[in-house]
Amino acid sequence: MSDRTTKPLSELAKTVRSKNAGVDRITFDIIFNDRDNYEMVKRSGVINRESVAKLYRIDPARITDFVTYDPAFAIKFTILRSRPSGSAGDGDIFGAQQYAPLLDFVIPLD
Amino acid sequence: MSSSSGSTLRFLCPNGHLGFAPIKVGSFDLGVATSPDFILADSGSDDIGPGPLGSDTSTSPAEWQRHDLEKMLVAARRLGVPMIIGSAGDTGSNSRVDLYVQMIRDIAAEHGLAPFRLGYFYSEVPKEYLRTRMQAGDAVTGLDGRDDLTLDELEATDRVVAVAGVHPYIELLNRGAEVIIGGRSSDAAIFAGPAIRAGYPENLSYYLGKVLECASFNAEPYAGKETVIGEISHEDVKVTAMHPDQRCTIASVAGHAMYERSNPYFEHVAGGTLDMTDCHYEQFDPKTTRVTGPRFEPSEHVRVKLEGSGKVGERFMGFAGVRDPYTIERIDEVIDWAKQQVVERFGDPATGGYELHYQVYGRDGVMGDLEPLRDQTGHELGIMVFGVAPTAEMAEELTLTGTRQMFYARLPDVKGTAGGVAFPLDEVVRVGAAYRWTLNHTIGVEDPMELFDLHTTEVSASTPAGAGAARSPEVAR
């Protein structure tokens, strides 16, 4: 697809973040500034359980929640950690840097 | 509309995790100047990992905790309004509650504050209590896919705290407490407790707590440790940013509903669930968002969340860098070589009773198994090595072996045969012991107060208060 027909998620979303949700999960928030971009990304359907699981190389069963949240123009999903936060060998105690691969998600423009 | 429309209470929250980084005093003073009815903050988090709970320490300098407690206490006593802290000292363990109680006494003495009633409660749950309940057949139920607690796992646990709902806060206010230091608590309960006690609906009270507990994280632009004020009426909750450059917008407030939560629609507390599915957000004024429509579903049986941490072992850390592209390409072979040398000395990790972890920065050090670009390594790598063992001596030796042996890794065609990695240190360093979360569970209780031990006491500036008592009240700070 050409540059005119797609954009990376990083150009469409205001906030793309990750954070612990309790000690056994990391939750991801994708928040848009306005309804238009939010609805467009939602309509495109490219961000879903399967695509996210593929991006993070995990079994879709590790995604415990996947919701769209209209009041905040947001898409949100949560995954089970491979080990509880702060265990020896965990590189991200807060789960705060796990969102980066989402930034390059290719979104088709309407 | 209703006759109650005119009655509101205003809750000032300066910090989403008191002690983790100090309050920004500018917006705090602006908030205090508006004469709020309560000054409150949550001081705890399980985000900081299992170490502080397991080792019974705080994660930041005492001076940061003291700074915030002093600002809040002095302002609250001057206004004559309650000051409430939940989850004292990061973990809400008994020693952290005692620490904060002592700090409150010291600050009161130093400032010569008029006498006030201090309430506090403990949250630690003795292992013996859990063992007895389990042996009687009561399940300690795992959350987030965890199995129910076993006696072995309980044995491996050093400390357990129960997460309080609104009940201890309401009871301590009923006993006349003007300052409350809480053990481990649901973040929202710290705010919801006083609102419910004052007669406001549960749904709005819990929402108030949910939206305030992280202070300025519910405002934009992004800025931590700034003050926000939440106002509750019988019809709505309004939340207002105090920092001159921050605003509470529909997007920032609604977006906050999902922060740190698996699901933006539900918040579970001891006693029920806050359902935010039908929340309605409107911009009330440029800095204020108004929220209506949360629901609260009380639960039929109260289950209290338990957090537990257990020590895994002593821990050392080593570090190595790699620049040779051939070595970088074969870095897993290098690590495997070093691991094998450790196995030859200490046996397999499972039988040898140790852990050895490698984090390869420049490849997947941050994301580990979640890293999609694992094959796109940098032109140099930094490798952190962590060894965990029952004794410090063993942890040091195995970490040193696991680090230094990367230097000797045998790669078939390496050009540089004088050493395979770069060392910024030729030693390994001792770091905090390794702990793990052993409990992320719930237990049923007949009485929601059952696991919490409440106390009240009078604090007056003339009461002996340790070192602080000797200081003149006039000493400027």
Side-chain angles (χ1 to χ4, degrees):
Chain A
M1 279 189 269
S2 80
D3 285 345
R4 286 183 301 139
T5 58
T6 69
K7 266 190 184 175
L9 183 63
S10 57
E11 286 183 28
L12 296 169
K14 174 179 73 165
T15 299
V16 182
R17 67 187 179 195
S18 60
K19 185 82 197 294
N20 288 347
V23 302
D24 292 321
R25 295 175 173 185
I26 298 174
T27 193
F28 296 75
D29 301 338
I30 303 165
I31 306 174
F32 298 87
N33 254 334
D34 59 76
R35 184 178 299 278
D36 290 350
N37 278 341
Y38 167 65
E39 292 291 348
M40 183 178 73
V41 173
K42 218 169 97 170
R43 263 198 312 278
S44 78
V46 297
I47 300 179
N48 56 53
R49 273 179 189 269
E50 288 67 34
S51 64
V52 163
K54 194 169 165 226
L55 180 65
Y56 284 99
R57 314 181 331 150
I58 59 174
D59 185 333
R62 265 177 70 182
I63 301 177
T64 63
D65 301 79
F66 194 104
V67 294
T68 54
Y69 187 48
D70 293 347
F73 306 145
I75 299 170
K76 180 177 179 70
F77 61 93
T78 301
I79 68 171
L80 281 173
R81 279 175 161 275
S82 54
R83 49 162 67 88
S85 74
S87 302
D90 175 23
D92 191 356
I93 292 177
F94 285 73
Q97 276 290 305
Q98 303 301 308
Y99 63 86
L102 293 170
L103 297 169
D104 297 326
F105 232 112
V106 176
I107 308 295
L109 303 179
D110 281 357
Chain B
M1 47 194 248
S2 77
S3 58
S4 57
S5 296
S7 109
T8 64
L9 282 179
R10 298 172 65 256
F11 292 68
L12 180 150
C13 179
N15 195 331
H17 178 174
L18 188 151
F20 198 72
I23 289 173
K24 298 291 187 187
V25 297
S27 62
F28 177 77
D29 291 342
L30 289 173
V32 170
T34 71
S35 296
D37 299 295
F38 292 90
I39 295 179
L40 320 84
D42 169 38
S43 178
S45 179
D46 54 26
D47 265 348
I48 51 180
L53 180 61
S55 59
D56 206 14
T57 57
S58 294
T59 195
S60 303
E63 186 49 42
W64 296 359
Q65 300 168 335
R66 198 198 143 80
H67 170 272
D68 286 11
L69 293 177
E70 181 175 23
K71 289 296 294 181
M72 292 173 72
L73 180 67
V74 170
R77 296 319 306 143
R78 184 165 56 73
L79 292 174
V81 302
M83 166 193 171
I84 304 179
I85 304 293
S87 299
D90 303 318
T91 66
S93 73
N94 293 358
S95 78
R96 301 302 94 183
V97 172
D98 289 340
L99 176 75
Y100 274 26
V101 165
Q102 186 59 46
M103 283 184 182
I104 292 290
R105 291 186 192 279
D106 291 347
I107 294 163
E110 284 179 29
H111 287 267
L113 298 180
F116 58 88
R117 180 165 281 237
L118 172 67
Y120 55 99
F121 71 88
Y122 296 114
S123 281
E124 276 187 35
V125 180
K127 281 163 68 172
E128 191 51 43
Y129 168 88
L130 294 176
R131 192 177 296 121
T132 305
R133 290 279 310 265
M134 289 163 75
Q135 283 166 345
D138 292 332
V140 179
T141 308
L143 288 167
D144 301 338
R146 286 191 178 220
D147 293 333
D148 289 357
L149 186 66
T150 62
L151 289 170
D152 281 351
E153 193 69 340
L154 179 64
E155 209 48 56
T157 300
D158 287 310
R159 190 163 288 97
V160 182
V161 286
V163 181
V166 295
H167 318 89
Y169 292 96
I170 291 173
E171 177 58 23
L172 285 173
L173 288 168
N174 285 342
R175 295 186 193 177
E178 297 163 281
V179 175
I180 297 177
I181 298 297
R184 188 71 174 116
S185 310
S186 291
D187 305 346
I190 301 159
F191 306 83
I196 289 168
R197 178 175 176 272
Y200 291 90
E202 284 186 319
N203 61 337
L204 294 170
S205 299
Y206 281 106
Y207 186 88
L208 174 83
K210 170 66 199 142
V211 79
L212 283 188
E213 49 104 350
C214 276
S216 54
F217 274 6
N218 67 21
E220 61 180 326
Y222 175 83
K225 310 301 171 189
E226 301 290 354
T227 290
V228 295
I229 289 185
E231 179 174 310
I232 190 169
S233 76
H234 288 265
E235 288 80 34
D236 62 14
V237 169
K238 296 192 194 85
V239 53
T240 307
M242 287 296 116
H243 189 282
D245 297 333
Q246 277 199 308
R247 298 169 300 135
C248 288
T249 67
I250 293 172
S252 72
V253 174
H256 183 72
M258 54 187 172
Y259 183 68
E260 294 179 326
R261 296 292 174 267
S262 297
N263 185 302
Y265 298 115
F266 302 103
E267 170 93 352
H268 304 286
V269 296
T273 299
L274 177 66
D275 179 347
M276 294 176 277
T277 308
D278 294 327
C279 276
H280 179 71
Y281 298 84
E282 59 190 278
Q283 197 71 45
F284 182 76
D285 67 34
K287 292 176 81 73
T288 304
T289 286
R290 175 178 188 259
V291 188
T292 51
R295 286 194 302 264
F296 185 75
E297 318 277 353
S299 49
E300 201 176 325
H301 303 288
V302 175
R303 297 197 69 82
V304 177
K305 188 183 169 199
L306 302 172
E307 298 174 345
S309 173
K311 186 171 176 178
V312 180
E314 303 299 333
R315 180 164 54 170
F316 277 71
M317 181 184 81
F319 189 88
V322 187
R323 181 63 180 82
D324 178 347
Y326 175 79
T327 306
I328 287 174
E329 204 174 296
R330 293 176 171 245
I331 195 63
D332 284 326
E333 289 174 50
V334 173
I335 291 171
D336 285 346
W337 168 270
K339 277 184 181 168
Q340 189 53 40
Q341 309 312 304
V342 174
V343 168
E344 284 177 16
R345 172 77 175 86
F346 293 104
D348 283 326
T351 55
Y354 69 90
E355 290 183 33
L356 182 61
H357 299 282
Y358 290 82
Q359 279 163 249
V360 184
Y361 290 96
R363 185 186 67 179
D364 60 359
V366 172
M367 297 193 57
D369 63 347
L370 294 177
E371 177 57 75
L373 305 180
R374 196 169 191 274
D375 300 327
Q376 296 181 28
T377 51
H379 74 275
E380 67 175 24
L381 299 179
I383 304 167
M384 274 179 120
V385 186
F386 288 98
V388 179
T391 66
E393 291 72 23
M394 180 176 166
E396 181 172 25
E397 189 191 337
L398 82 91
T399 307
L400 195 58
T401 306
T403 305
R404 189 166 294 166
Q405 284 293 330
M406 287 193 285
F407 194 82
Y408 299 112
R410 298 174 184 177
L411 298 179
D413 295 316
V414 70
K415 305 284 186 195
T417 53
V421 296
F423 291 128
L425 292 166
D426 61 2
E427 61 192 323
V428 292
V429 292
R430 188 173 190 170
V431 295
Y435 289 85
R436 65 188 177 87
W437 291 110
T438 51
L439 270 85
N440 179 25
H441 286 71
T442 65
I443 190 166
V445 289
E446 293 292 320
D447 173 357
M449 300 282 279
E450 184 174 328
L451 301 177
F452 307 99
D453 176 20
L454 275 55
H455 300 265
T456 56
T457 181
E458 296 299 319
V459 173
S460 83
S462 58
T463 311
R471 298 181 65 160
S472 154
E474 279 74 49
V475 171
R477 288 184 55 86

